[in-house]
Amino acid sequence: MFSESIVHIFFLFLVLFIGTFRAFDIELTVLIPASQRECFHQVLEAGKTVEIEYEVLAGGDIDINYWFYSPTNRVLQSDFKKRDGHQTLKLEESGEYRFCFDNSVSRFNQKQVYFSLRLVNEQGHNEQDRITESWMNDVARDELGELQDKIQNFKDIFQRIWDNMEAAQRYQKVFNNYEVHDRVIAENNFEKVNFWSIIHLVLMISVSVVQVVTIRSLFESKSAYGKLLRGKK
């Protein structure tokens, strides 16, 4: 009976644990038109630590300008003509922050940009808003006895699983960005190879036609081109 109750509590706690996490994690893939600037706004609280990542996936020279503004319009971070960036910053103000991407470095090519914003703790993991289980707070530790230790063990195990899953998910997204970037480069190279192959083919055919016409003209007495080549009027 005791083991069955432990199993029931295990599954109950699993459901409560999964449902009590709300991680702040924003990810966007946006297109920045040529010679344009796009800004994104997010309300954040002072004292939080924010992690910002961006990467240009496709377009032009694969670079872009980036600015991070505070609610009072102070420039907190900036990058110029970078392909990617990663910054971690502790916020000192509460309010609406701005994240801007400027594609003025390119007059003709739009840029595809991946952008990620999340709140992190001291360990670099997502900062989660936990809802404390009221039924646990209402029960004294002495009344739970050994069950409290088992619940704590479950919490520690679930936390490690959560952190590992989060890390694996982020690695998958990074690898996916690399795959998109490499695929775009491969497609661009394929188009360039096809274009120059057609140019070379046209040149080879043109040169072949000119050579055939030139040789035939040398052996034709009535050919004006042949007479010109032979130096006869």
Side-chain angles (χ1 to χ4, degrees):
M1 292 295 294
F2 183 75
S3 60
E4 291 181 359
S5 61
I6 292 296
V7 173
H8 292 162
I9 292 175
F10 176 86
F11 285 106
L12 176 61
F13 186 78
L14 175 62
V15 173
L16 290 172
F17 185 90
I18 295 176
T20 57
F21 279 89
R22 297 194 301 271
F24 180 91
D25 197 342
I26 298 175
E27 295 184 0
L28 296 173
T29 300
V30 296
L31 291 175
I32 311 298
S35 302
Q36 297 294 322
R37 177 172 177 165
E38 297 286 346
C39 293
F40 304 89
H41 303 255
Q42 180 62 44
V43 177
L44 299 171
E45 298 179 2
K48 301 290 186 180
T49 301
V50 63
E51 181 184 68
I52 307 166
E53 295 182 41
Y54 70 90
E55 180 178 0
V56 182
L57 302 178
D61 294 330
I62 319 295
D63 58 358
I64 204 164
N65 298 331
Y66 162 78
W67 286 275
F68 179 28
Y69 294 95
S70 72
T72 55
N73 210 33
R74 289 190 301 114
V75 177
L76 301 178
Q77 294 170 336
S78 62
D79 288 330
F80 299 94
K81 301 187 69 174
K82 291 288 189 69
R83 172 190 167 183
D84 54 31
H86 177 273
Q87 295 113 3
T88 301
L89 180 68
K90 188 170 184 179
L91 306 178
E92 299 178 354
E93 304 175 57
S94 296
E96 187 175 287
Y97 287 79
R98 281 188 299 146
F99 312 86
C100 297
F101 296 98
D102 181 18
N103 193 23
S104 60
V105 296
S106 179
R107 294 185 178 180
F108 306 103
N109 298 312
Q110 67 178 4
K111 304 290 176 64
Q112 183 179 4
V113 180
Y114 165 80
F115 175 72
S116 172
L117 169 67
R118 65 173 185 153
L119 297 179
V120 297
N121 54 25
E122 296 179 355
Q123 290 74 32
H125 298 299
N126 270 8
E127 183 178 277
Q128 292 122 355
D129 297 328
R130 300 190 184 187
I131 303 174
T132 304
E133 297 83 351
S134 58
W135 63 272
M136 290 183 61
N137 292 334
D138 294 337
V139 180
R141 182 179 179 86
D142 295 338
E143 296 180 11
L144 293 175
E146 295 182 358
L147 186 58
Q148 177 67 28
D149 296 331
K150 295 183 181 297
I151 291 177
Q152 185 61 44
N153 290 336
F154 289 152
K155 292 179 64 177
D156 295 339
I157 292 173
F158 291 147
Q159 184 62 53
R160 288 196 297 270
I161 294 174
W162 183 277
D163 293 340
N164 292 335
M165 291 177 62
E166 179 196 39
Q169 186 179 25
R170 295 193 64 81
Y171 281 126
Q172 287 178 344
K173 292 173 182 176
V174 170
F175 294 147
N176 180 66
N177 290 338
Y178 287 145
E179 189 273 334
V180 171
H181 177 69
D182 293 341
R183 185 175 70 248
V184 170
I185 293 178
E187 291 176 352
N188 291 338
N189 291 338
F190 178 74
E191 293 176 358
K192 292 179 181 178
V193 169
N194 284 343
F195 173 77
W196 288 109
S197 296
I198 293 174
I199 296 297
H200 291 165
L201 180 61
V202 171
L203 290 176
M204 290 176 61
I205 294 175
S206 301
V207 170
S208 300
V209 171
V210 171
Q211 289 178 342
V212 170
V213 172
T214 301
I215 294 174
R216 290 187 60 181
S217 299
L218 290 174
F219 294 96
E220 292 180 355
S221 58
K222 297 181 180 180
S223 173
Y225 182 51
K227 292 178 180 180
L228 178 64
L229 292 176
R230 292 191 296 270
K232 295 181 180 181
K233 297 181 181 180

